[in-house]
Amino acid sequence: MLRKRGSAILCGAFLFVAWNAVVVLYLWGRPLSGREEREIDGGRGGGADLAGDVIHMAEAFEAELEMQRKILLQIQGHRSLWEQPNENGASRGGPPQVVIPILVIACNRVTVKRCLDKLIEYRPSAELYPIIVSQDCGHAETAQVIGSYGSQVTHLKQPDLSDIAVKPEHKKFQGYYKISRHYRWALNQVFNSLSHSSVVIVEDDLEVAPDFFEYFRSLHPILKSDPSLWCVSAWNDNGRDGYVDPGKADLLYRTDFFPGLGWMLIKELWIELEPKWPGAFWDDWMRQPDQRRDRACIRPEISRTLTFGRKGVSLGQFYDKYLRYIKLNSEFVPFTKLDLAYLKEEKYKEIFEKQVYSAPLVKYEEVQRGQLKGAGPFCLHYSSKDGFKVLAKNLGVMEDLKSGVPRTGYRGVVSFLSRGRRIFLAPPPGWSKYDPTWS
């Protein structure tokens, strides 16, 4: 609207100035009529008066033209203001920004209020970031909490609450089957019923950082344009305080491990995954080679989400040891104003591998005892599944592997801080692929 208004003003100003110029040129250049010539030749004062009037008119028009020229220059000067981003992050006069909905997966936690409160507090635009809460379980108290937000959120309710037929040995995993069913239904609602082209998924036990929306907005173009990427995640599995650099809130990585816990995907990926969506354990299924297909995700040095839900179908797995200590970013990083081209695959791979394998090679004992010389980074090698697990466990990073991929790993390398120094836990040079038996 603002762009159209600005264009109309410029067009009107141009036409006005042009018309005045035509009138003046016409008056200056047209031949005098016979009557006017007779008045000038025969009249004692009338001719002089007419000539003076014409000259006076021309001078007036010239002054008017100069004034209109100055107005036109002022209008052109203000045009840049129309094209600056507005308070919602949309460009005034630029192409409309893509809408990125936030899908909140909810069930029976009334503490979804903590999740929604932060999303609404930090959301820069309700139009660009509609919040869609999809609720399973039919829990009345949770539904009441969600409903209390009124038009600030869209409340969807999973219609199928029935138990799922499973093998007898999987009865204890009924909850995982229902979660997978809910994800499939909710994502179909977002992409098919509501016709969105991308989505950020959070669960009802996640709190978001102040720059959560800025982070995903900045990375959306890269996710769309780089076929070697398949998601953007807000989560660092090894992002505990002391294991991340508090001065590098703007540092981003590629990772071969699917992190989840606040992640963005585009519709094209859902079209690929939906027909083969698993009955249960959807996140581990995503980590299998057939789904990942050598694609990477982007993840931050410092997490943009924090989980506060210890109780759930996973029964607090990893929560007490790792998750409760994850550091949530508190510094707003203007990612949309940064050059993130370094995250493109070929450029990133070259820079990252050079950084890792040019770092001094050290031994575990030197790291553990704090005997490293210099500021780092340093490289620590592993060459077997058991070797990785022992080093990871002793250094305090997550030791489990999924289809051979370590958490946060990129080309086998896990990056973290130990005693204030950057450590690359890495396979020897020449790494070529993951071994799915390392699980």
Side-chain angles (χ1 to χ4, degrees):
M1 178 63 73
L2 285 168
R3 182 169 188 145
K4 290 180 180 177
R5 188 184 304 164
S7 299
I9 293 172
L10 285 174
C11 185
F14 175 77
L15 289 174
F16 184 78
V17 171
W19 171 251
N20 285 334
V22 169
V23 171
V24 172
L25 289 173
Y26 171 73
L27 288 172
W28 279 347
R30 73 180 177 89
L32 295 176
S33 67
R35 181 171 177 270
E36 289 170 342
E37 287 179 348
R38 287 193 301 272
E39 287 178 346
I40 292 173
D41 291 338
R44 300 193 55 174
D49 289 343
L50 179 59
D53 289 343
V54 171
I55 293 171
H56 179 73
M57 185 183 300
E59 289 175 346
F61 272 115
E62 187 175 6
E64 180 68 18
L65 280 173
E66 178 62 21
M67 184 178 71
Q68 295 301 325
R69 187 184 70 84
K70 291 179 179 178
I71 292 174
L72 181 59
L73 290 174
Q74 289 178 346
I75 292 171
Q76 290 174 329
H78 286 293
R79 185 177 182 179
S80 61
L81 295 177
W82 305 333
E83 296 176 349
Q84 290 178 0
N86 62 24
E87 66 275 9
N88 293 331
S91 176
R92 296 189 183 110
Q97 292 204 36
V98 65
V99 172
I100 304 177
I102 312 300
L103 174 62
V104 181
I105 299 292
C107 181
N108 57 2
R109 291 188 178 109
V110 293
T111 50
V112 67
K113 177 175 171 46
R114 176 174 169 182
C115 172
L116 293 175
D117 282 348
K118 288 299 181 181
L119 283 171
I120 291 171
E121 177 184 351
Y122 297 137
R123 178 172 63 171
S125 165
E127 290 74 27
L128 292 177
Y129 307 97
I131 297 172
I132 303 165
V133 186
S134 182
Q135 186 190 359
D136 200 359
C137 308
H139 191 249
E141 289 82 359
T142 301
Q144 187 175 7
V145 170
I146 298 167
S148 70
Y149 288 88
S151 61
Q152 294 182 95
V153 307
T154 298
H155 187 186
L156 305 179
K157 296 181 180 180
Q158 150 76 310
D160 186 358
L161 305 181
S162 64
D163 283 343
I164 300 171
V166 299
K167 298 176 182 178
E169 60 269 25
H170 273 209
K171 281 189 176 180
K172 61 182 178 181
F173 300 130
Q174 180 74 211
Y176 288 102
Y177 281 86
K178 290 186 175 182
I179 287 174
S180 190
R181 177 178 66 185
H182 183 200
Y183 264 82
R184 185 177 203 161
W185 181 84
L187 285 169
N188 276 329
Q189 295 301 304
V190 170
F191 289 123
N192 299 331
S193 299
L194 299 176
S195 301
H196 290 293
S197 61
S198 61
V199 68
V200 176
I201 305 170
V202 300
E203 296 188 358
D204 55 2
D205 61 347
L206 291 182
E207 178 181 332
V208 303
D211 58 356
F212 174 87
F213 295 93
E214 173 82 358
Y215 172 77
F216 283 108
R217 170 69 58 184
S218 70
L219 293 167
H220 181 271
I222 297 177
L223 180 61
K224 288 281 289 183
S225 63
D226 188 346
S228 70
L229 291 172
W230 71 325
C231 88
V232 174
S233 174
W235 183 256
N236 176 359
D237 276 295
N238 290 315
R240 290 183 294 157
D241 205 1
Y243 288 79
V244 294
D245 188 339
K248 295 286 182 66
D250 61 340
L251 182 57
L252 306 178
Y253 297 83
R254 292 175 71 102
T255 176
D256 299 318
F257 189 90
F258 172 72
L261 293 177
W263 61 287
M264 177 166 60
L265 75 156
I266 59 177
K267 186 173 184 177
E268 289 80 358
L269 179 64
W270 181 241
I271 291 172
E272 172 193 327
L273 298 179
E274 196 273 341
K276 55 178 181 175
W277 191 251
F281 310 109
W282 69 268
D283 49 350
D284 283 343
W285 175 82
M286 289 277 289
R287 293 161 183 151
Q288 294 172 1
D290 288 347
Q291 279 64 253
R292 189 172 69 82
R293 293 168 49 192
D294 293 326
R295 292 173 291 192
C297 293
I298 295 174
R299 59 108 177 157
E301 168 77 356
I302 304 177
S303 289
R304 265 60 187 186
T305 53
L306 174 72
T307 179
F308 55 83
R310 183 182 184 278
K311 294 181 179 180
V313 294
S314 64
L315 301 179
Q317 184 183 25
F318 298 129
Y319 185 84
D320 291 330
K321 188 174 182 180
Y322 295 104
L323 304 184
R324 66 184 299 178
Y325 301 108
I326 294 292
K327 178 179 176 62
L328 181 66
N329 181 62
S330 59
E331 173 190 345
F332 187 94
V333 176
F335 282 111
T336 56
K337 295 179 174 60
L338 303 181
D339 183 1
L340 303 178
Y342 70 91
L343 292 167
K344 293 281 188 175
E345 183 179 30
E346 289 306 316
K347 188 171 185 179
Y348 185 89
K349 177 183 172 184
E350 179 183 354
I351 295 172
F352 186 77
E353 288 191 342
K354 182 177 180 181
Q355 185 181 27
V356 170
Y357 292 107
S358 65
L361 187 61
V362 296
K363 297 178 180 179
Y364 162 73
E365 291 78 15
E366 295 175 289
V367 179
Q368 185 67 13
R369 296 170 185 169
Q371 297 175 341
L372 300 176
K373 308 289 186 186
F378 301 96
C379 191
L380 180 61
H381 283 174
Y382 69 88
S383 56
S384 67
K385 169 187 171 181
D386 291 339
F388 172 81
K389 284 181 167 288
V390 168
L391 288 172
K393 182 177 182 180
N394 290 339
L395 290 169
V397 296
M398 296 190 79
E399 66 209 62
D400 63 317
L401 304 110
K402 303 289 185 179
S403 298
V405 185
R407 291 181 184 266
T408 76
Y410 178 69
R411 298 186 64 78
V413 181
V414 175
S415 174
F416 59 96
L417 287 194
S418 179
R419 299 174 183 265
R421 290 177 171 85
R422 176 69 58 186
I423 304 295
F424 296 120
L425 182 56
W431 181 95
S432 59
K433 62 180 180 179
Y434 293 103
D435 184 346
T437 66
W438 287 23
S439 294

